[in-house]
Amino acid sequence: MSRLIDGYAIIDLPPVSQEVLNSYDNVPLDVYMGNKTRYKRFSQYKIDYISDAWSFELLPHRPYGQSREYNTVAGGIMREYEPLQADFLPYLHAVAANLPLDRSESWQVNVHQNRSRATEAKPGLVTPEGIHKDGHEYVAILVFNRHNVTGGEMRLWKGLDSSEPFWRGTVQPGHAALLDDRAVAHDVTDLHPDASGEEGHRDIVIAAFSRWSERWYGEEHDQAVLNSKPSAQ
């Protein structure tokens, strides 16, 4: 368990398996976000600290919903995604072990497997919602592959009204960015094909951690999503 100095940290991930890399080739198109350049699977877990490690329990599959307060593009609706197929648990364990999670509480984790594609005609829109917070306590962005792309630079901001990012960098494959979502906002620049001119892609997982008492799961959460209103900001 680590502190996130300045609200973020970059960590190494365990070696990436070929199974995980290959799994991105059959991720379905995300029809809700990314202007038809994003592909997504989604699953949810409950985690508890047991015997000196975090234990992950896969929750029954449900649609994903996000408040309009945090997502003005596709918030306020329940989005249907297919569940994860590959085994990401070794990487999720590494992330959880490096976050300052309260071990006396249960946590809920949303896990998004995303591929963003880029062509010369259509850049990959990684964060179409712009500079944002996701509404969780902690967020991790795990990068598994960058193929024939430029861009995809992550920028961190002290607040949604900040004029300049306080940190910027391109998270490389085999690494993860850990964010205190309540302390910093973030965005990621668009992807473009590299000098080869061929179609490129960036393969990541986003893991978002909320205390079980504030979980993004179940009928009560879904109804709150449907009733949500945009932020006043």
Side-chain angles (χ1 to χ4, degrees):
M1 180 172 65
S2 306
R3 291 180 59 244
L4 299 185
I5 299 174
D6 292 329
Y8 78 99
I10 307 296
I11 67 166
D12 295 334
L13 293 172
V16 180
S17 72
Q18 195 61 47
E19 176 208 6
V20 163
L21 293 176
N22 291 345
S23 72
Y24 282 87
D25 292 336
N26 69 347
V27 175
L29 178 69
D30 183 347
V31 299
Y32 306 95
M33 293 280 285
N35 194 27
K36 296 186 179 180
T37 64
R38 179 187 290 180
Y39 297 74
K40 181 189 281 288
R41 290 186 182 273
F42 172 74
S43 290
Q44 297 174 287
Y45 294 84
K46 180 183 180 184
I47 67 172
D48 290 279
Y49 198 75
I50 301 171
S51 301
D52 297 326
W54 288 101
S55 175
F56 282 72
E57 173 194 352
L58 180 64
L59 295 170
H61 193 65
R62 296 179 67 88
Y64 173 63
Q66 195 174 17
S67 167
R68 290 184 178 91
E69 178 183 359
Y70 299 109
N71 189 328
T72 57
V73 178
I77 61 174
M78 301 308 299
R79 296 182 246 164
E80 298 278 356
Y81 296 115
E82 294 184 20
L84 302 177
Q85 293 183 339
D87 180 12
F88 289 99
L89 285 181
Y91 316 102
L92 297 175
H93 276 287
V95 166
N98 281 279
L99 285 173
L101 302 174
D102 186 340
R103 295 175 177 177
S104 69
E105 293 197 41
S106 299
W107 291 74
Q108 190 255 313
V109 189
N110 286 342
V111 182
H112 309 256
Q113 179 186 14
N114 290 349
R115 165 171 282 186
S116 293
R117 289 182 171 170
T119 65
E120 291 185 348
K122 185 178 287 189
L125 304 182
V126 182
T127 52
E129 63 271 56
I131 303 168
H132 67 285
K133 297 183 178 184
D134 288 320
H136 300 272
E137 195 156 343
Y138 300 105
V139 172
I141 302 169
L142 297 71
V143 180
F144 292 103
N145 194 17
R146 290 173 56 94
H147 178 70
N148 289 347
V149 289
T150 62
E153 179 186 54
M154 187 174 72
R155 303 183 295 186
L156 303 182
W157 314 71
K158 288 296 186 183
L160 297 174
D161 57 351
S162 297
S163 58
E164 294 290 336
F166 73 89
W167 184 90
R168 59 197 308 160
T170 302
V171 182
Q172 295 298 324
H175 297 81
L178 312 184
L179 308 179
D180 181 338
D181 191 52
R182 296 183 177 179
V184 300
H186 67 280
D187 72 346
V188 179
T189 61
D190 294 348
L191 296 172
H192 298 273
D194 64 12
S196 71
E198 297 178 2
E199 180 181 297
H201 56 258
R202 173 178 179 262
D203 296 339
I204 69 167
V205 155
I206 299 172
F209 293 74
S210 297
R211 295 171 196 263
W212 186 252
S213 59
E214 301 172 358
R215 60 191 175 274
W216 288 38
Y217 186 83
E219 294 292 342
E220 185 176 344
H221 168 262
D222 295 354
Q223 195 58 52
V225 166
L226 296 174
N227 293 338
S228 65
K229 300 184 185 307
S231 171
Q233 276 192 316

